[in-house]
Amino acid sequence: CRLVNLQQQISNKILGPKPKGLTALPCNRESRTSSTFLSQTHRSKSTFLPLPALFLIILAALNIVMEKEYFAHSSAIVDEGCTIAKGVKIWHFSHIMSACIIGENCNIGQNVVISPEVVLGKNVKIQNNVSLYTGVTCDDDVFLGPSCVFTNVTNPRSAVNRRGQYSKTHVGKGASIGANATIVCGHDIGAFAFIGAGAVVTKTIPPYACVVGNPAKQIGWMSEFGHRLDFDNEGIATCPESNEKYKLEKGKVEKLDFDTPNNSVGILSLTN
């Protein structure tokens, strides 16, 4: 029934209203083998839709099905040429520009701008009033707080064209950036790092580091569940929520993996 109604709506838009005396067949088993747009008393060949019109209807129907892979609010602007995976939600007044890539199940808040060539992994959550400029890439599960700021030019001048000179910033898997934080371009954020609200990041942040202030300074380490890690004399800390253990060695934190063969303790290697 839904497909019949969809075809009727699309046909009306493409071909105009049906001639008088022609009514759609009722949606039942007996009518499914008949023409969607003709009554049982009008079945002459001259009344069938021309092939080009049927082709347009099929394309329009396929386009509608594809659009249902993600949600975009009616006030959002989604440019042609962008790649948006299934499960994505794009909210009020946001602008998704061409050539960007958005992974599955991302949530794009209100008044967000995603510029060309920006790449978002899966399950990235972007709060309101965030602008992601060309050169920014985010791994899976990144959290970007309200009104946090990314830059892509270190020495901007209104009268000087810097296009093609954009610096790159990469945000690692599971990292969180707090509200109103500023990330100066060219400095990567490590996996599961935690950037405090209002911090101004002017250097590369290692994985699991917790930084605050202006300029941002490291004050500790955070677990993947977002808890402060307190390391003992042997450099071992346990997340109070997940009970996962972490090791601090030579200024770097790595999560211990106790599921390796023979009950041996392994260390998960993380790449930025």
Side-chain angles (χ1 to χ4, degrees):
C1 291
R2 295 176 62 184
L3 180 58
V4 169
N5 293 333
L6 176 62
Q7 289 176 331
Q8 290 173 347
Q9 293 172 12
I10 297 173
S11 178
N12 288 339
K13 290 183 179 180
I14 296 175
L15 304 176
K18 298 185 292 295
K20 293 183 179 180
L22 296 183
T23 57
L25 290 176
C27 186
N28 52 45
R29 292 183 179 178
E30 296 178 359
S31 65
R32 289 176 186 171
T33 59
S34 303
S35 170
T36 303
F37 304 100
L38 301 177
S39 68
Q40 294 179 351
T41 58
H42 296 81
R43 297 185 182 176
S44 64
K45 291 184 178 180
S46 60
T47 57
F48 279 94
L49 292 174
L51 288 178
L54 286 173
F55 182 69
L56 289 174
I57 290 174
I58 293 172
L59 287 180
L62 290 174
N63 185 51
I64 290 174
V65 172
M66 292 178 64
E67 287 179 352
K68 291 185 178 179
E69 291 288 309
Y70 68 91
F71 166 81
H73 188 267
S74 59
S75 64
I77 299 175
V78 180
D79 292 346
E80 294 183 1
C82 55
T83 302
I84 303 176
K86 65 180 180 180
V88 173
K89 295 181 179 179
I90 304 168
W91 294 102
H92 308 63
F93 311 116
S94 290
H95 186 187
I96 312 302
M97 304 180 74
S98 61
C100 68
I101 300 175
I102 302 177
E104 293 181 3
N105 299 319
C106 290
N107 192 79
I108 313 299
Q110 180 174 307
N111 196 35
V112 171
V113 175
I114 300 181
S115 297
E117 300 179 18
V118 168
V119 179
L120 303 180
K122 298 179 181 179
N123 197 42
V124 174
K125 290 182 172 59
I126 304 177
Q127 301 301 300
N128 298 348
N129 307 312
V130 176
S131 295
L132 298 178
Y133 299 114
T134 300
V136 176
T137 57
C138 297
D139 282 344
D140 297 348
D141 302 321
V142 167
F143 176 87
L144 303 179
S147 301
C148 68
V149 177
F150 289 86
T151 66
N152 62 359
V153 175
T154 56
N155 56 340
R157 292 293 192 190
S158 177
V160 180
N161 189 339
R162 303 291 188 192
R163 289 185 179 180
Q165 302 177 19
Y166 298 140
S167 298
K168 296 182 179 180
T169 299
H170 180 73
V171 183
K173 176 180 173 64
S176 296
I177 299 178
N180 294 301
T182 299
I183 313 300
V184 177
C185 58
H187 304 103
D188 294 341
I189 309 298
F192 302 103
F194 197 95
I195 312 300
V200 179
V201 174
T202 59
K203 60 182 179 181
T204 296
I205 306 300
Y208 298 105
C210 176
V211 300
V212 297
N214 181 8
K217 295 182 179 180
Q218 184 173 349
I219 61 172
W221 304 93
M222 301 286 279
S223 73
E224 294 183 8
F225 277 68
H227 295 279
R228 290 287 295 271
L229 293 172
D230 295 321
F231 291 93
D232 59 22
N233 293 333
E234 297 180 354
I236 303 297
T238 303
C239 173
E241 183 174 354
S242 67
N243 291 321
E244 295 172 329
K245 294 186 180 296
Y246 298 80
K247 182 176 180 61
L248 174 62
E249 187 175 17
K250 297 180 180 180
K252 296 182 179 180
V253 169
E254 294 174 314
K255 186 174 73 171
L256 300 179
D257 179 12
F258 290 92
D259 295 327
T260 53
N262 302 322
N263 295 323
S264 61
V265 176
I267 297 179
L268 292 178
S269 60
L270 296 172
T271 58
N272 292 337

